[in-house]
């Protein structure tokens, strides 16, 4: 069911329309279709039978309708006829309907009849109540003829006579003004004739204006159509310009992508510009319907073909560079043998840097292919780094062993290490062995610092390069500042700051694969350093700590570098070796057997303790962290005290209390001289112990207190 209605546009030019209205589920009226009534060609009422309610409306095709009643059908067709006569100059043909003109005359007669009835009603409504003045006049008239009022017949006769007199007077006045009446009638006739002529003129004008109105309406419609045509042409031209502008890839770009000259700088720049232009063309947002156009589809297929071919050529070219760099030979050493120098990959990085924009383009264009390139780079470059790192550490080991040969000949065959010796050799100050060990100790610090100083820029430069080249998310600004700046900030205690965060997973994974041999080679080198002399673990621990503090002090924020992670692992290993060395030393001190010829004097374990404390304090003098050393001092002090106390059960040829008194006194004097804060408790305990054993010795051996001896000892 639909509602068919006729409406007239309120805007000029006024145009009638036929509108089909439907009611949706929400009981809201919506226009379903709209036809201009000027396009209506025929109205067919089917039959004149009042039972038939069907009728047809012919526009470009015939629409069949069925009215709900014959009256509605008749009223609607009459409305169409009126609008046709008024706006369309009877251009629409009506068939099988009642005579519209008759219906029009009947309607005019009905209108006149209604007008007469209305006038009669108006005449009836003229009679109204008398006003007070009219009532007074009537009373006055009745007072004048008061005697006659009582006699109605006589009063009526009197009024008739008066009326007759008035009529005669009127007739005489009319007869006397006959010329004037005749002249008035002639004027009226002339006025009627003039009105007729004016009506005829107005009718002519109306017909002319009606034709002009139709012409103006037709011109307006044509102008409206021309406006739509112009607007559509402009929109079409804009869309065509949009497609031809944004989907047009220059011939030079197509040539650059097809040739893919990646071996020359100019060719690389041309490929970068072409790749960016291709991405701009392929990433443009166009309407899905445009993709069905043959020209657009062919252009998109050409873009995809160029993209795939260039991707394959670029990946092959960059892979060849990776493989060539990974297979490169290690250059011969140009530095003197006494100076370490880590290899530099600046030339390799410089060769790859021009391809960075193309790597960024490939990452956005084809992430799947891009993900394999970092793995290929790591696999090839790891072979080169393995050879270079092994050669670097071989040079460091050779330099360390060569320096030891000049001071200690037997150290090459069997270097004294804490894990391989059964009876460690402890050098005393001033002896030839002590001088040799001093040389070894200085060599370990110098060479280890040189190794770390050379490795740090190598690792940081590689990390900076892969993060920039492969567009990894790791922020490389801090690392670049770390590489270029000098150490200006004061280091802080690692125990009081947040530990350095690990590099991002992908970056860490690539660097771990590239530097796969760095960790084992560095561990092996630290083992060699540990065997240089008994106290090498102290120097390694301090050197690693200082190196980490130096890197942390470069910037306000702790950088997340791969080399930091490696140093952290080596520091844990150094702490473990140091704790193991201290445990072994404590065990050797406690289980040491006294020589059978010992009479009176300082125990060897006490001398070892003093030598260790002197050396450790010298090494840790400028260290930023000494928590591990304080714990080691306490452990060694406990072992020394236990070793001295064990003399009470030993079978000595001399007085035990005298030996214990002398050793505790020596330990007390040594601790007073060093002023080590963590050993203040042990210093007081040593004083108490030597006082007790001195008293026992005096009482037990001499039989009486020796005041002067006691005072001199104190």
């Amino acid at each position: 069911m639909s509602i068919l209605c006729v409406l007239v546009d309120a805007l000029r030019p006024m145009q009638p329309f036929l509108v089909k209205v439907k009611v949706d589920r929400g009981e809201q009226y919506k226009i379903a279709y709209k036809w201009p009534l000027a396009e209506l060609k025929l109205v067919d009422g089917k039959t004149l039978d009042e039972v038939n309610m069907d009728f047809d409306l012919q526009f470009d095709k015939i629409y069949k309708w069925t009215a709900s009643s014959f009256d509605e059908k008749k009223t609607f067709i009459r409305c169409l006829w009126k609008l046709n006569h008024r706006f369309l100059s009877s251009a629409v043909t009506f068939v099988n309907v009642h005579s519209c003109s008759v219906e029009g005359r009947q309607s005019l007669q009905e209108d006149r009849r209604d007008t007469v009835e209305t006038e009669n009603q108006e005449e009836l409504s003229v009679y109204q109540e008398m006003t007070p003045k009219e009532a007074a006049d009537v009373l006055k008239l009745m007072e004048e003829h008061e005697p006659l009022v009582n006699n109605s017949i006589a009063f009526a006769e009197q009024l008739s006579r008066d009326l007759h007199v008035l009529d005669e007077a009127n007739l005489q006045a009319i007869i006397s003004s006959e010329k004037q009446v005749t002249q008035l009638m002639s004027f009226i006739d002339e006025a009627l004739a003039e009105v007729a002529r004016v009506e005829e003129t107005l009718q002519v004008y109306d017909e002319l204006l009606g034709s002009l109105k139709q012409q103006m309406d037709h011109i307006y419609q044509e102008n409206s159509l021309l406006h739509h045509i112009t607007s559509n042409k402009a929109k079409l031209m804009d869309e065509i310009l949009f497609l031809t502008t944004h989907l047009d890839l220059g011939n030079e770009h197509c040539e650059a992508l097809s040739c893919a000259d990646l071996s020359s700088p100019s060719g690389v720049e041309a490929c970068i510009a072409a790749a960016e232009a291709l991405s701009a063309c392929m990433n443009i947002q166009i309407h899905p319907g445009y993709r069905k156009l043959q020209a657009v589809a062919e252009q998109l297929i050409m873009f995809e073909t160029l993209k795939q071919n260039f991707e394959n050529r670029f990946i092959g070219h960059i892979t060849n560079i990776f493989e060539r760099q990974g297979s490169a030979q290690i250059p011969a050493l140009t530095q003197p043998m006494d100076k370490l120098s880590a290899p530099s990959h600046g030339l390799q990085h410089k060769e790859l840097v021009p391809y960075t924009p193309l790597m960024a383009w490939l990452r956005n264009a084809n992430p799947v292919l891009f993900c394999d390139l970092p793995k290929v780079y790591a696999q090839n470059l790891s072979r080169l780094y393995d050879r270079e790192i092994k050669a670097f550490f071989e040079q460091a080991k050779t330099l360390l062993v060569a320096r030891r040969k000049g001071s200690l000949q037997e150290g090459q065959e069997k270097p004294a290490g804490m894990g391989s010796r059964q009876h460690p050799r402890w050098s005393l100050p001033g002896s030839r062995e002590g001088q040799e060990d001093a040389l070894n100790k200085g060599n370990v610090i110098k060479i280890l610092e040189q190794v770390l100083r050379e490795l740090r820029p190598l690792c940081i430069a590689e990390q900076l390069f892969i993060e920039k080249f492969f567009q990894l998310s790791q922020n490389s600004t801090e690392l670049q500042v770390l590489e270029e700046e000098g150490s200006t900030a004061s280091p802080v205690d690692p125990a009081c700051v947040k530990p350095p965060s690990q590099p991002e997973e992908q970056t860490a994974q690539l660097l771990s694969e590239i530097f796969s041999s760095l960790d084992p080679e560095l561990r092996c080198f630290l083992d060699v350093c540990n065997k240089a002399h008994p106290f090498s673990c102290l120097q390694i621990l301090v050197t690693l700590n200082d190196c980490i503090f130096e890197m942390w002090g470069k910037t306000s924020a702790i950088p997340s570098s791969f080399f930091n992670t490696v140093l952290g692992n080596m520091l844990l290993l150094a702490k473990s070796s140091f704790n193991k060395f201290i445990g072994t030393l404590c065990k050797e001190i406690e289980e040491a057997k006294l020589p059978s010829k010992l009479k009176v004097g300082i125990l060897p374990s006490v001398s070892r303790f003093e030598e260790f404390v002197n050396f450790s304090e010298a090494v840790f003098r400028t260290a930023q962290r000494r928590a591990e050393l304080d714990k080691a001092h306490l452990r060694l002090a406990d072992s020394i005290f236990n070793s001295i106390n064990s003399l009470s059960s030993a079978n000595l040829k001399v007085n035990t209390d005298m030996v214990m008194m002398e050793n505790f006194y020596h330990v007390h004097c040594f601790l007073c001289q060093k002023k080590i804060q963590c050993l203040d408790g042990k210093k007081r305990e040593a004083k108490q112990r030597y006082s007790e054993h001195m008293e026992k010795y005096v009482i037990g051996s001499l039989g009486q207190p020796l005041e002067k001896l006691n005072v001199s000892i104190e």
Side-chain angles (χ1 to χ4, degrees):
M1 296 296 293
S2 301
I3 299 175
L4 191 63
C5 57
V6 181
L7 58 88
V8 179
D9 194 356
L11 300 177
R12 290 187 178 275
M14 301 173 63
Q15 297 180 0
F17 293 92
L18 187 64
V19 179
K20 176 183 177 183
V21 181
K22 282 190 175 182
V23 183
D24 59 5
R25 295 182 179 179
E27 296 185 356
Q28 294 182 354
Y29 294 95
K30 292 185 178 180
I31 296 178
Y33 204 83
K34 184 177 181 181
W35 300 272
L37 200 61
E39 298 179 2
L40 181 62
K41 300 176 182 178
L42 178 67
V43 177
D44 186 2
K46 295 294 185 180
T47 61
L48 299 178
D49 189 3
E50 296 184 358
V51 179
N52 188 4
M53 292 178 288
D54 297 334
F55 63 96
D56 295 344
L57 300 178
Q58 181 179 352
F59 291 91
D60 53 346
K61 63 179 182 179
I62 298 176
Y63 296 88
K64 298 182 179 295
W65 299 89
T66 301
S68 58
S69 65
F70 181 77
D71 292 336
E72 288 189 1
K73 171 184 174 181
K74 181 178 178 181
T75 303
F76 182 74
I77 293 177
R78 180 180 297 176
C79 178
L80 291 178
W81 181 85
K82 290 181 179 180
L83 293 176
N84 175 43
H85 179 72
R86 180 176 179 183
F87 292 100
L88 305 178
S89 300
S90 302
V92 182
T93 304
F94 290 81
V95 296
N96 296 325
V97 296
H98 293 283
S99 176
C100 296
S101 59
V102 174
E103 290 182 0
R105 287 194 297 271
Q106 289 177 354
S107 62
L108 292 176
Q109 293 175 359
E110 291 175 358
D111 293 340
R112 292 175 182 174
R113 190 182 305 112
D114 294 339
T115 303
V116 172
E117 292 178 357
T118 303
E119 291 178 352
N120 293 333
Q121 291 178 357
E122 291 178 353
E123 291 177 357
L124 293 176
S125 63
V126 171
Y127 296 98
Q128 299 177 355
E129 294 182 359
M130 291 187 298
T131 62
K133 185 175 183 301
E134 292 175 346
D137 292 339
V138 171
L139 291 175
K140 183 179 179 181
L141 180 63
M142 293 180 69
E143 288 177 356
E144 291 178 357
H145 300 84
E146 183 177 1
L148 299 175
V149 171
N150 295 328
N151 189 354
S152 58
I153 298 174
F155 182 67
E157 291 177 355
Q158 182 64 33
L159 291 178
S160 298
R161 287 192 297 270
D162 292 341
L163 181 61
H164 182 69
V165 172
L166 290 176
D167 290 338
E168 290 180 354
N170 289 333
L171 288 174
Q172 292 177 0
I174 291 172
I175 292 171
S176 62
S177 59
E178 183 177 0
K179 288 184 177 181
Q180 296 178 354
V181 172
T182 304
Q183 186 178 3
L184 179 62
M185 293 300 292
S186 64
F187 288 159
I188 292 174
D189 292 338
E190 292 177 358
L192 291 175
E194 186 67 23
V195 168
R197 287 195 299 272
V198 170
E199 287 182 351
E200 291 178 358
T201 304
L202 290 177
Q203 185 176 2
V204 172
Y205 289 164
D206 187 27
E207 292 177 355
L208 293 175
L209 290 176
S211 175
L212 180 62
K213 177 178 177 299
Q214 292 180 359
Q215 294 177 4
M216 293 301 296
D217 292 345
H218 182 68
I219 292 173
Y220 176 80
Q221 292 177 357
E222 289 183 350
N223 288 337
S224 177
L225 293 176
L226 290 176
H227 175 72
H228 288 305
I229 292 173
T230 305
S231 177
N232 291 336
K233 285 184 178 179
K235 292 180 180 179
L236 180 60
M237 184 59 65
D238 291 340
E239 294 297 329
I240 293 175
L241 290 176
F242 175 80
L243 292 176
T244 54
T245 302
H246 293 85
L247 295 182
D248 183 25
L249 189 63
N251 294 330
E252 66 278 6
H253 294 325
C254 294
E255 185 68 20
L257 293 174
S258 300
C259 297
D261 181 14
L262 299 171
S263 57
S264 62
S266 59
V268 173
E269 292 179 0
C271 289
I272 292 173
E276 292 176 353
L278 179 62
S279 295
C281 292
M282 297 187 68
N283 295 332
I284 194 68
Q285 298 294 330
I286 61 176
H287 192 275
Y290 292 161
R291 298 181 180 272
K292 298 180 181 179
L293 298 176
Q294 182 178 358
V296 175
E298 291 176 355
Q299 195 77 353
L300 294 177
I301 293 173
M302 183 192 72
F303 291 160
E304 187 65 26
T305 304
L306 286 174
K307 171 177 166 292
Q308 293 179 1
N309 293 337
F310 182 72
E311 285 174 354
N312 295 332
R313 293 186 180 184
F314 172 68
I315 291 174
H317 181 78
I318 204 72
T319 303
N320 291 334
I321 295 178
F322 294 162
E323 293 176 353
R324 177 168 50 81
Q325 290 184 357
S327 303
Q329 297 297 326
I330 302 176
L333 295 176
T334 58
Q335 299 291 339
M337 283 299 298
D338 59 345
K339 184 177 181 181
L340 284 174
S341 178
S344 175
H345 284 203
L347 295 178
Q348 288 87 340
H349 295 167
K350 186 177 180 180
E351 182 183 5
L352 292 173
V353 164
Y355 300 100
T356 302
L358 290 178
M359 293 295 294
W361 170 82
L362 181 62
R363 181 177 185 177
N364 296 326
N366 199 332
V368 177
L369 294 179
F370 175 82
C371 289
D372 295 333
L373 288 181
K375 300 176 183 178
V376 175
Y377 176 82
Q379 291 172 1
N380 288 278
L381 268 295
S382 62
R383 300 198 301 269
L384 177 62
Y385 274 106
D386 287 348
R387 297 193 299 270
E388 292 177 343
I389 290 174
K390 288 179 181 179
F392 174 75
F393 279 106
E394 286 297 330
Q395 183 185 1
K397 294 175 186 177
T398 302
L399 184 58
L400 180 62
V401 174
R403 290 186 178 182
R404 290 178 59 197
K405 279 184 178 181
S407 60
L408 189 62
Q409 294 294 332
E410 67 273 13
Q412 182 178 3
E413 297 179 359
K414 187 178 180 180
M418 65 177 183
S420 62
R421 65 184 185 276
Q422 296 297 329
H423 301 287
R425 175 179 56 82
W426 300 92
S427 59
L428 297 176
S431 65
R432 181 167 177 258
E433 294 179 350
Q435 294 176 358
E436 294 171 351
D437 276 346
L439 292 175
N440 291 336
K441 296 170 184 176
N443 291 340
V444 171
I445 295 177
K446 183 177 180 180
I447 295 177
L448 181 57
E449 288 179 348
Q450 196 171 358
V451 167
L452 298 179
R453 187 166 54 249
E454 293 294 329
L455 288 178
R456 187 183 73 179
L458 178 67
C459 295
I460 293 179
E462 185 62 33
Q463 182 171 351
L464 285 172
F465 171 74
I466 65 172
E467 287 172 353
K468 180 181 179 181
F469 188 70
F470 295 108
Q471 290 82 42
L472 302 178
S473 59
Q474 177 69 21
N475 186 8
S476 60
T477 304
E478 295 179 349
L479 297 176
Q480 190 170 0
V481 172
L482 175 65
E483 185 181 21
E484 297 176 355
E485 279 189 351
S487 178
T488 57
S490 58
V492 293
D493 188 354
C496 301
V497 298
K498 185 179 178 180
S501 60
Q502 294 293 331
E504 194 173 348
E505 182 178 357
Q506 188 176 5
T507 306
Q509 184 178 359
L510 285 177
L511 291 172
S512 299
E513 186 173 356
I514 292 172
F515 294 102
S516 58
S517 61
L518 178 59
D519 190 271
E521 289 293 334
L522 191 55
R523 289 174 182 268
C524 182
F525 179 72
L526 292 181
D527 289 340
V528 175
C529 292
N530 279 328
K531 296 176 182 179
H533 63 85
F535 296 154
S536 296
C537 58
L538 281 172
Q539 295 175 315
I540 295 173
L541 180 62
V542 173
T543 304
L544 291 174
N545 262 324
D546 290 345
C547 184
I548 291 179
F549 275 114
E550 181 183 358
M551 294 186 66
W552 289 359
K554 295 291 182 182
T555 56
S556 57
I558 299 174
S560 300
S561 67
F562 173 77
F563 191 63
N564 267 8
T565 306
V566 174
L567 284 184
N569 295 334
M570 294 303 106
L571 182 60
L572 294 177
L573 178 63
K575 289 181 179 180
S576 176
S577 299
F578 177 72
N579 293 331
K580 183 178 179 181
F581 168 73
I582 295 300
T584 303
L585 184 58
C586 291
K587 184 177 180 181
E588 290 178 354
I589 289 174
E590 293 178 358
E591 296 179 357
K593 295 182 179 180
L594 296 176
S596 58
K597 297 181 180 180
L598 179 63
K599 294 182 179 179
V600 179
I602 305 302
L603 297 177
S605 58
V606 176
S607 300
R608 297 172 187 173
F609 175 71
E610 292 178 358
E611 183 181 3
F612 176 82
V613 172
N614 288 328
F615 179 76
S616 62
E617 288 298 321
V619 173
F620 277 83
R621 182 174 62 255
T622 59
Q624 303 297 324
R625 176 181 173 84
R626 54 175 294 140
E628 290 82 5
L629 181 61
D630 291 340
K631 295 178 182 178
H633 282 167
L634 291 174
R635 291 179 62 184
L636 288 175
D638 290 337
S639 298
I640 289 297
F641 281 28
N642 293 335
S643 177
I644 297 175
N645 290 331
S646 65
L647 294 176
S648 61
S649 60
N651 296 324
L652 301 178
K653 297 180 179 180
V654 295
N655 189 286
T656 304
D657 290 326
M658 180 184 67
V659 177
M660 296 175 67
M661 174 191 67
E662 183 179 4
N663 281 275
F664 277 120
Y665 176 74
H666 189 79
V667 171
H668 173 71
C669 293
F670 176 74
L671 296 180
C672 290
Q673 179 185 0
K674 290 299 179 182
K675 297 180 181 180
I676 302 174
Q677 186 177 0
C678 67
L679 295 178
D680 287 342
K682 294 299 180 181
K683 180 176 65 175
R684 292 190 295 269
E685 183 179 355
K687 181 179 180 181
Q688 180 182 358
R689 294 287 183 88
Y690 89 75
S691 299
E692 293 176 357
H693 288 291
M694 181 184 67
E695 184 178 357
K696 289 181 181 180
Y697 172 70
V698 171
I699 295 174
S701 299
L702 303 181
Q704 58 181 354
L706 298 179
E707 182 177 356
K708 293 181 179 181
L709 178 60
N710 189 15
V711 172
S712 65
I713 292 176
E714 292 179 355

